[in-house]
Amino acid sequence: AFSDPFSVVWLTAFSEVMEAKRASIMLLSVPAGDAEALSAIQDAAVDGIAGLCGDQPAMIRARERGLPTVYCTMRQPVGAEPIGGDYVAIDDYAAAVEVGRHLRRLGHTRVSLLIETAQRGQPVLSEYRPDELAGLVDAYEGVGYFDTFHRVRGVLDGLGDATVTIVVAGTNSRASGQAAGGLVLDRAHPPTAVVAVSDVMALGFMDACRQRGLEPGRDISVTGFDDLPESAAAGLTTIHQPVRDKGRLAAELLLDPERTQRRIILPHELIVRSSTRPVA
């Protein structure tokens, strides 16, 4: 949690509300597939649980205990029946469609998409025809997209008929983005644009570009998702989402069971910076 800039911003806002209300926080690490860690949720002496994704095993176990839960990313489409609990989220699908359309308007038809999974490991690159992509996304949905599932679908829909190479980059980290960058950029025919499902991986990809004497925006377009504090200085085109508001509202929902609005969709915005340009 403390190595991910998104989580740091979210936790800071969450803890500020808790501190103001003199409430305590317990941090529970529950990696995917870790049954022993999952049992900590069953035994934890807490009054509620907040997490990123509502259908992670830890959140399901908490609801089975009857604990209030709040999650901050949508796995079901906005407007569909929630999987349970309260949420504070953005419309990840609609935001990602904007990213795909932005690149398509700039003339990009050969695009790589960097996705995350729950597993660590070397990045894996796979090329798929447009008619194969929907099945591929469905296959990965159950094995570790976490909050990025609708981002993937949205980017693909926004890109339309573009040729897409999907890179399974590993866990959400700058190192994963950098390793994936090496795999993408060292190909005989690299893409003209890259979409990362998080700013963290996009910034790592930009590191790989500069290691090879390439300038993001000039030589290859790069986009991210989240608009972390470092992204503006890096010139990264991205989706801005109110991360602090997510953390603040998640805490308020847990602390105030009488609050009327308990399923909140926050606004997002496509921020265009120097890392994306029209195809030369």
Side-chain angles (χ1 to χ4, degrees):
F2 296 106
S3 65
D4 180 353
F6 178 96
S7 295
V8 170
V9 174
W10 187 92
L11 279 167
T12 298
F14 185 90
S15 63
E16 286 171 354
V17 174
M18 290 291 176
E19 183 178 9
K21 298 294 184 180
R22 298 184 180 277
S24 299
I25 299 173
M26 178 185 295
L27 295 180
L28 298 171
S29 176
V30 189
D34 190 330
E36 183 176 350
L38 186 60
S39 67
I41 296 293
Q42 184 65 40
D43 302 329
V46 296
D47 299 313
I49 297 283
L52 287 182
C53 191
D55 62 351
Q56 286 179 310
M59 299 294 281
I60 295 172
R61 181 67 59 86
R63 286 195 295 274
E64 290 172 349
R65 281 188 57 188
L67 292 173
T69 61
V70 179
Y71 57 97
C72 294
T73 48
M74 303 290 289
R75 282 290 287 275
Q76 72 276 11
V78 170
E81 184 65 25
I83 57 179
D86 305 326
Y87 60 74
V88 183
I90 66 168
D91 190 334
D92 284 275
Y93 173 80
V97 168
E98 291 184 37
V99 172
R101 288 177 176 170
H102 169 65
L103 291 175
R104 197 65 186 83
R105 283 193 298 267
L106 294 176
H108 294 283
T109 58
R110 199 168 70 252
V111 180
S112 282
L113 174 57
L114 275 56
I115 65 175
E116 65 170 288
T117 68
Q119 293 80 26
R120 298 182 183 275
Q122 294 299 312
V124 178
L125 183 151
S126 301
E127 288 191 278
Y128 292 85
R129 300 190 310 271
D131 61 339
E132 296 176 314
L133 290 174
L136 174 76
V137 174
D138 288 339
Y140 272 113
E141 193 271 343
V143 293
Y145 267 149
F146 292 114
D147 57 317
T148 61
F149 173 58
H150 286 301
R151 297 181 188 180
V152 173
R153 278 199 174 278
V155 169
L156 296 177
D157 288 347
L159 285 169
D161 61 353
T163 299
V164 180
T165 300
I166 291 185
V167 182
V168 182
T171 56
N172 182 41
S173 69
R174 193 157 181 158
S176 292
Q178 186 173 348
L183 190 63
V184 170
L185 295 169
D186 294 343
R187 305 182 70 206
H189 300 288
T192 62
V194 167
V195 180
V197 294
S198 73
D199 280 6
V200 174
M201 284 201 294
L203 292 167
F205 184 87
M206 293 168 80
D207 292 338
C209 288
R210 294 188 173 111
Q211 288 174 347
R212 290 159 175 78
L214 303 174
E215 184 61 31
R218 183 194 67 194
D219 300 304
I220 185 170
S221 287
V222 184
T223 69
F225 205 107
D226 292 329
D227 199 21
L228 297 175
E230 189 176 349
S231 300
L236 179 63
T237 293
T238 187
I239 290 291
H240 173 80
Q241 63 165 318
V243 182
R244 281 191 56 85
D245 287 345
K246 276 188 169 184
R248 174 181 61 82
L249 288 166
E252 291 176 0
L253 285 171
L254 281 179
L255 292 173
D256 183 7
E258 303 302 318
R259 187 180 182 126
T260 303
Q261 186 181 10
R262 308 202 65 82
R263 292 169 179 170
I264 302 170
I265 296 295
L266 297 173
H268 65 267
E269 181 183 0
L270 174 65
I271 306 295
V272 178
R273 298 191 177 106
S274 60
S275 70
T276 53
R277 294 183 187 176
V279 176

